Every structure is written in structure tokens, then in C-alpha cells.
Amino acid sequence: MTHFDLLVIGTGSGNMFLDDRFADLSIAIAEEWHFGGTCLNVGCIPTKMFVYPATLAEQAGRGGRYNVDTAFSGVDWTSLQDRIFSRVDAIEAGGRAYRSGDRQPNVTVIPEHVHFTAEKTVRTASGEEVTADRIVIAAGASPILPEVPGLDAARVDTPGYPIVTSNSIMRLPQRPASLAIVGSGVIAMEFAHIFASFGTEVTVIARSPRLLRSIDGEASAEFTRLFTADHNVILGAEATSFRVGEGSVEVTLEPSGRVDEVDVPNSVTAEVVLVAIGREPNTEGLGVAEVGYDVDSEGRLVVDEFQRVYSGAAPVPGVFALGDISSPFQLKHVANHEAHVVGDNLHADVLAGSPGSAALDGLRRTNHHAVPAAVFTSPQVATVGMTEDEARAAGHDVTVKVQNFSDVAYGWAMADDPGIVKVIADRATRRILGAHIVGHEATMVIQPLIQAMAFDQPADEVARGQYWIHPALPEAVENALLGLDFADR
Ligand SMILES: Cc1cc2nc3c(=O)[nH]c(=O)nc-3n(C[C@H](O)[C@H](O)[C@H](O)COP(=O)(O)OP(=O)(O)OC[C@H]3O[C@@H](n4cnc5c(N)ncnc54)[C@H](O)[C@@H]3O)c2cc1C
Ligand SMILES: NC(=O)c1ccc[n+]([C@@H]2O[C@H](COP(=O)([O-])OP(=O)(O)OC[C@H]3O[C@@H](n4cnc5c(N)ncnc54)[C@H](O)[C@@H]3O)[C@@H](O)[C@H]2O)c1
């Protein structure tokens, strides 16, 4: 049995807050997989490094729309992978070496799976018991696999098995000629864009009548309209079995019952199948429920606004959690924010003396207001705040404006490419309740609306109180704000 002052489980955002404030503590960091976790190794960073060239490839094939003669003639998959993963893998190795080497003599890296055997005790895969006064649980989430015949869950993401998740698809030795994607959420749409743009024959299998169905209805409908226009999408279909053959997988389909009068083909055959149906918090593998920690109906560790972990509806002294294991937002910017909160609160707890003794008024609260999210597909999607339905259900007297990109001069420069800015505001308070953008660089165009929500600025002041560069795309945001109809105008 080895005892530490602090145990951190997971090196995604869990690796972010350990700075000089903790130099006097003996610290163990458990990481069973890639140092740096999901975002660095298989998430945000490599996906966007594939998305950018994919968008260039797609645009090259569309030059005629802008009266220029361009064509996409291929991608060098191997050198693209090398460029991306030589960078990612070097950062992974550097992070591991930094924590493992002489520069951090107070830190011990445990490169193994750990699971709880008591409230403040974990056992490593090799059987060692580790105890700690304080623990930070930052163990993330993993892809969900459907329980359907023909899917060998143990072989998913192993070399040669053609059914994969986001954990391995970017490292496939060859770009597949055809790809079936089960799911129609964020991961499904980003990979559909990447592979289709590079010339793979992609088929998206969606249960719902719309793609990205969790976003605002109008934004989702607009995205679905645009994406289905030039991609193979089967809406209202459920994948009910897989048959792995020689060089291909047959996916059997049935109507999902979520779309009326749908004509679903019996099956789709592709070289590779990507399963992208959500990610579940890694609470089960950690055995947290078995030692009494509270886990909610979605499998998340229960934390309060100070990121303290709960057991029997009371905080466990000195135990914090952050990121996908406990957060309602599976987003890196949220995991990072929560890591900063944990770092500050853990430090306050250490200064206070015994675990759990820090006064509440000395602890920092997590801010989950105006959390933005984006889908880096084509067209891009960016959202912040409530959907229109949520705003109405919350009892707001709402005013809504949808502005087309093609209404502003930059939209004309883009040959009237489709794109919408939808802003939802409260008619009485003039505050922005939500904003949803579908179109070119939506992830950048939305930022003034995120800022306005974060700083609680009235919508009309945001529109009129600053210059908007002319003729730039954010003029569509300005016009959407100006189009809102307030009670006393
Ligand atoms: C394909 C993809 C693309 C994404 N793109 C974006 C994006 O563009 N923008 C965005 O904001 N978010 C994106 N995300 C989400 C983002 O990656 C996550 O929200 C974020 O990485 C979560 O960080 P985390 O620290 O909570 O967990 P992770 O980074 O997953 O870290 C958890 C770590 O804990 C380790 N671990 C788990 N259990 C144990 C155990 N029992 N013992 C030892 N170690 C353990 C894991 O190996 C892992 O390294 C994407 C996710 C995916 C999958
Ligand atoms: N750009 C980004 O910020 C980014 C990118 C990728 C992932 N992420 C994060 O990772 C999370 C997980 O992504 P995801 O795309 O796996 O999940 P998701 O929740 O976005 O989408 C999952 C989709 O799969 C569908 N689904 C669920 N069960 C199914 C089944 N059995 N068969 C068919 N479809 C089924 C759901 O209805 C949903 O539409 C996201 O919610 C997001 O927070 C973020």
C-alpha cells in the first residue's frame, strides 16, 4: 500500500491544474492510456487537423460556383496522418516525460487502470493499493457501443477489425473507399465531412428525422437540408445487426419508427463502419458507485458547483471531479474551466488543513452560463444558450430573428452560399437567450453573441454600441440583433 497526499485519475484536463501551488505534495497521477486524454490524442485536436484540409478539399471541388476553375484530385492520407500525429504524439510523449521525470520529483505516474476499493483507496491493474488524502477524478468518457448482433465489442478499435469508433478511425492505415456511419450527432457529422471530402463514399445512418437533432430545431433542419443535398444520408433508420465479411461489413437496417413513411434500404455495405452514438462517463470502470459515490441516471459522478464529489448526498472531504466524468457538457473548454476551478478549490482545501475543511466562501464556483458548442463539419454549426423551444418552455416572452448570410454583402461575395444566424432574446429584458449559426465559419461568427451572453449585455446595445466591420460576415449577426422585436420599442 502506497500513500499520497493527492491522487489524480486521468490526464486530459486532469493534467492541467497541477502547478507550483502543489509542489510540496506527494502526488500520484494514474493514466491507463494516452497522456493528454481524449482531446489531444483522439478528439478535438486531431479531428480539426483533419477537418481543415477536408474543407479545402471540398471547396476545391466547388470552385465552379465562384467562377473559378479548381478541382480536388486527391489526398495523401499517409502524409496527412504523419503531419497530424507526429505533432500530437510528440506532445503526448512530452507530457508523460515531464510528469514522470526529474523535473517533477514529487509526482509519480501510475501508467495503469485504477479502480476504487474504498472511498480513498484505488487498486491498480497490477494489484497495488494506493491511498490518498485528496483525490481528483478526471477520468473522462468513452464511446458507447450498441448491443446488436455481429458486433464484437472487444475487437472494436483493434487492428484489422472494420468496426471502429473515433478512438481509432483517424489512424486507419488506409483511407477506406467506403464508410458507413451509425449515428448523426457531432462526431458522426465531423467524420462524415472529413471522409466524404477526401473521396470516401460515406453513408450516414440516422435514427431521427434530422441530423444534429439535439441543437435548435430550425438550425438542425437547415443543417439537415444542406448536408443531405450532397451526402448519402438515410434518415429514420436503425442499425440492427452487423455482418463482418471479407473486406466489408454489411449493416442491416430497419425503420427506427421515428420518421413517418420512410423508405429504408434493407442494408448498407461498407469497407469500414464508424459507430458514433454518444459517449458515456467512465464511472463504471472506476467502480465509484461500489464505494458509495453518487452517480446520476446518465452515469455521471455527482458534483456540486464547487466540483466536490458527493456520496450519500454529502460532499466527500477532499474529493473533486471535473470534465466528461461529471459534467453535463462533454466539451474541452468546459473540462478546462472545471479544471481551473478544481485547482483553486483544491489549493484552498490544502491551505485549510484537513481534507474538506476549506470554508465554502473561499471556494470558487463553476460557471456553466453561456456555454458555446460547435460542430466542425460543412457547413459549420455553432450554438450558445437555449434553443427556441427551451426558451419558450422556460416561460420567456421571446423575440426571434433569423438572418440569412446572403442578406449581407459578404454573403454576396460568397455567391449567396447558404447560412443562417438565429438569435433568441427575451422581449422584456432584452437579453440574448440563445444563438444558433449554421454556415461558413459559424464557429468564429458566433463569438460576439457568446460574449454578449457571458457579460449579460442587452441585445440592442450589442448591435448599436460597437462598429461592425463592413463588409464582413458578422454583419449578419448585427442585422439579426437589429431585427429583434423588443416590448418597448
Ligand atoms: C472525436 C472527438 C472530437 C471532439 N472534438 C471536440 C471539440 O472540437 N471541441 C470540444 O470542446 N470538445 C471536443 N470533444 C470532447 C472533448 O475531447 C472532451 O470533452 C474532453 O477531452 C474531456 O476531457 P476530460 O479530461 O474530461 O477527459 P479525457 O480527456 O477523456 O481524459 C480522461 C483520461 O482518464 C483516463 N482514465 C479513464 N479511466 C481511467 C482509470 N480507471 N484509470 C486510469 N486512467 C483512466 C483515460 O485514459 C483518459 O486519458 C471531442 C471528443 C471526441 C471524442
Ligand atoms: N466539436 C465538438 O465540440 C465535438 C466534437 C466531437 C465530439 N464532441 C463531444 O462528444 C460528445 C459525443 O459525441 P457523439 O457524436 O458520439 O454524441 P452525440 O450525443 O452528439 O450524438 C449521438 C447521436 O447518436 C444517436 N444515437 C444514440 N443511440 C443510437 C443508436 N443505438 N443507434 C443510432 N443512433 C443512436 C443519438 O440520437 C444522437 O443523435 C458530444 O456530445 C460532444 O459533447 C464535441
Side-chain angles (χ1 to χ4, degrees):
M1 168 115 51
T2 316
H3 183 78
F4 293 91
D5 296 327
L6 172 65
L7 166 67
V8 179
I9 306 173
T11 61
S13 296
N15 193 35
M16 284 201 52
F17 62 86
L18 284 178
D19 51 28
D20 291 349
R21 292 174 297 177
F22 306 102
D24 294 334
L25 302 186
S26 63
I27 302 171
I29 304 179
E31 175 52 70
E32 64 176 326
W33 189 52
H34 303 296
F35 224 79
T38 301
C39 180
L40 171 67
N41 293 287
V42 298
C44 340
I45 292 176
T47 51
K48 269 79 256 184
M49 291 178 83
F50 278 97
V51 163
Y52 188 83
T55 305
L56 286 181
E58 183 191 64
Q59 287 296 101
R62 289 183 178 170
R65 183 171 164 75
Y66 315 97
N67 315 99
V68 291
D69 193 6
T70 59
F72 168 67
S73 54
V75 57
D76 181 345
W77 178 251
T78 305
S79 50
L80 175 60
Q81 283 179 315
D82 286 349
R83 176 167 66 78
I84 293 170
F85 288 112
S86 59
R87 194 155 185 169
V88 164
D89 294 348
I91 298 170
E92 196 270 358
R96 185 182 294 277
Y98 175 66
R99 292 296 188 204
S100 310
D102 297 343
R103 280 179 293 170
Q104 299 255 285
N106 62 322
V107 176
T108 303
V109 172
I110 302 172
E112 290 184 65
H113 182 86
V114 298
H115 74 275
F116 280 84
T117 53
E119 199 170 71
K120 296 227 178 135
T121 308
V122 297
R123 182 174 298 141
T124 67
S126 55
E128 196 196 341
E129 297 263 305
V130 173
T131 59
D133 295 332
R134 293 180 173 85
I135 302 179
V136 174
I137 307 173
S142 300
I144 297 171
L145 297 177
E147 286 179 22
V148 292
L151 179 78
D152 186 345
R155 294 186 65 199
V156 170
D157 291 328
T158 62
Y161 193 64
I163 305 178
V164 299
T165 73
S166 53
N167 280 350
S168 71
I169 191 165
M170 290 178 277
R171 303 223 186 206
L172 286 175
Q174 273 99 36
R175 180 179 59 79
S178 55
L179 174 70
I181 300 181
V182 179
S184 53
V186 186
I187 292 179
M189 289 303 101
E190 291 189 348
F191 282 115
H193 168 53
I194 291 169
F195 282 93
S197 301
F198 288 149
T200 293
E201 191 191 328
V202 172
T203 306
V204 174
I205 300 162
R207 289 191 306 188
S208 358
R210 292 192 320 248
L211 304 171
L212 298 176
R213 74 175 172 93
S214 62
I215 65 170
D216 178 84
E218 212 166 343
S220 158
E222 176 70 354
F223 177 79
T224 305
R225 183 180 75 79
L226 297 172
F227 198 84
T228 53
D230 49 13
H231 292 85
N232 301 326
V233 177
I234 304 171
L235 295 170
E238 184 103 37
T240 51
S241 71
F242 298 90
R243 198 170 60 81
V244 176
E246 198 55 47
S248 69
V249 187
E250 186 185 15
V251 186
T252 309
L253 303 181
E254 282 177 19
S256 65
R258 299 177 186 207
V259 181
D260 296 335
E261 295 178 28
V262 66
D263 194 13
V264 168
N266 294 332
S267 65
V268 168
T269 300
E271 196 179 315
V272 171
V273 173
L274 170 70
V275 176
I277 61 168
R279 291 170 57 82
E280 59 193 350
N282 289 326
T283 40
E284 222 177 283
L286 268 181
V288 282
E290 288 80 345
V291 298
Y293 289 163
D294 296 346
V295 173
D296 74 12
S297 59
E298 312 216 21
R300 289 191 288 254
L301 261 178
V302 174
V303 292
D304 62 13
E305 68 267 47
F306 308 110
Q307 299 299 137
R308 297 180 304 175
V309 169
Y310 274 53
S311 173
V316 185
V319 180
F320 297 86
L322 63 94
D324 286 4
I325 189 97
S326 57
S327 183
F329 303 94
Q330 291 186 345
L331 294 167
K332 182 62 173 172
H333 39 279
V334 177
N336 285 352
H337 165 70
E338 293 175 359
H340 290 302
V341 172
V342 166
D344 289 354
N345 292 348
L346 184 68
H347 184 231
D349 200 54
V350 170
L351 291 181
S354 60
S357 61
L360 279 193
D361 60 9
L363 297 185
R364 189 174 153 193
R365 286 185 163 76
T366 299
N367 177 3
H368 281 164
H369 172 62
V371 172
V375 193
F376 294 80
T377 178
S378 179
Q380 284 190 355
V381 177
T383 79
V384 60
M386 293 187 220
T387 66
E388 183 177 346
D389 287 349
E390 285 166 353
R392 291 189 193 284
H396 291 280
D397 179 11
V398 303
T399 167
V400 177
K401 177 67 183 173
V402 179
Q403 190 76 47
N404 293 317
F405 279 19
S406 58
D407 295 335
V408 298
Y410 202 83
W412 309 346
M414 289 160 48
D416 291 334
D417 274 352
I420 57 166
V421 177
K422 176 174 182 174
V423 183
I424 302 145
D426 185 294
R427 274 166 56 80
T429 65
R430 314 168 95 86
R431 294 309 192 271
I432 300 166
L433 301 170
H436 311 279
I437 304 187
V438 179
H440 180 68
E441 298 296 4
T443 54
M444 293 200 252
V445 176
I446 199 167
Q447 195 64 38
L449 295 165
I450 299 168
Q451 185 165 337
M453 286 187 71
F455 295 114
D456 199 28
Q457 296 163 333
D460 48 343
E461 276 183 38
V462 175
R464 294 200 167 87
Q466 64 182 316
Y467 281 110
W468 296 82
I469 293 172
H470 178 76
L473 205 42
E475 285 186 329
V477 172
E478 177 193 17
N479 288 352
L481 291 169
L482 290 171
L484 294 168
D485 181 20
F486 292 114
D488 57 353
R489 187 154 68 189

